[in-house]
Amino acid sequence: MIGFYDYTVVLTYLSLMSGATGIMLCLNGIGHPYLGMFFLLFSGLCDTFDGKVARTKKNRTEQMKNFGIQIDSLSDLVAFGLLPASIGISMLRYALRMPGLSGFTSYVLTHYPKPTQFILTFIAVLYVLAAMIRLAYFNVMEEEDQNRDETGAKIYTGLPVTSAALIFPAVLLFHLLLRADLTLLYFGVMILTGLFFLSKIQIKKPQNRGIALLITFGAVEFIILILKLLCLRH
């Protein structure tokens, strides 16, 4: 059986499985963007630690290292490229409605005009394309060991695709807190995020303190989403 199956690949495999599950839930029936968002956050958590776990194995061969780089990017394309796009497509069909006299918030099918649906779907496709280009470029630079600055510190050229795990849940939080249809805002953020993927901005790889802040921010998003969804059901 081809491939590698030691502990160094477990988190990457889990991230991919989480992303694929989120996509299926978003596109099943009328879909549900909130369920997809939880899987996006979980994939982000797995991605935060997969590299650290892999580096604990001291006797990794070059094949194993290269295999890890490839599956990481392929997994990221699914979890942080296709899944956010699928969440957006799900939002085109399923939106929050302001509560009526009963005080309950209900969910209804949205009815965007066909031209609007076509344009927003095209934006989602372009976002996935931008994510793929960003990941492929990273792989090329990684193979040539050019993902470092003059001091030798690890850098990213272009916004890391994994940042989607924090950006899009934040948009959905506004969607819940305001109890308004912010689908167009979601796709606007998708455009900007895709452009930043392809930009030449350079971002230093976060160290332990930065990683802790990112995890804390993601955890806060997760908790607020859970609490808000529970409140909406009562």
Side-chain angles (χ1 to χ4, degrees), residues 24-184:
M24 293 172 189
L25 289 172
C26 284
L27 302 182
N28 181 42
I30 61 175
H32 202 310
Y34 307 107
L35 289 177
M37 198 63 69
F38 289 123
F39 285 96
L40 177 59
L41 285 166
F42 181 75
S43 291
L45 181 64
C46 291
D47 183 80
T48 300
F49 294 104
D50 62 355
K52 287 183 175 294
V53 170
R55 285 189 291 273
T56 62
K57 188 175 177 61
K58 302 302 181 183
N59 59 342
R60 283 197 302 163
T61 65
E62 285 302 313
Q63 269 193 340
M64 295 173 69
K65 292 177 182 179
N66 291 332
F67 181 80
I69 292 172
Q70 297 303 321
I71 63 169
D72 186 61
S73 289
L74 292 170
S75 172
D76 288 353
L77 180 59
V78 173
F80 310 115
L82 286 167
L83 179 51
S86 298
I87 290 169
I89 298 302
S90 182
M91 291 175 69
L92 281 176
R93 297 177 288 174
Y94 203 42
L96 282 168
R97 186 173 64 184
M98 292 294 289
L101 296 177
S102 64
F104 289 95
T105 299
S106 57
Y107 301 89
V108 295
L109 287 172
T110 56
H111 299 284
Y112 288 97
K114 288 295 182 181
T116 302
Q117 292 184 36
F118 176 80
I119 292 171
L120 296 182
T121 301
F122 186 60
I123 289 172
V125 172
L126 290 179
Y127 169 82
V128 176
L129 176 61
M132 185 194 71
I133 293 171
R134 168 67 180 79
L135 290 165
Y137 183 80
F138 173 83
N139 281 4
V140 171
M141 295 296 102
E142 189 71 12
E143 288 179 2
E144 298 179 358
D145 198 26
Q146 294 188 29
N147 287 326
R148 299 184 183 278
D149 60 14
E150 297 80 5
T151 65
K154 194 84 169 185
I155 59 169
Y156 299 114
T157 300
L159 183 69
V161 172
T162 53
S163 61
L166 296 177
I167 293 173
F168 294 108
V171 178
L172 206 66
L173 278 179
F174 283 108
H175 185 56
L176 284 172
L177 293 172
L178 298 178
R179 297 192 183 187
D181 183 9
L182 298 180
T183 302
L184 296 180

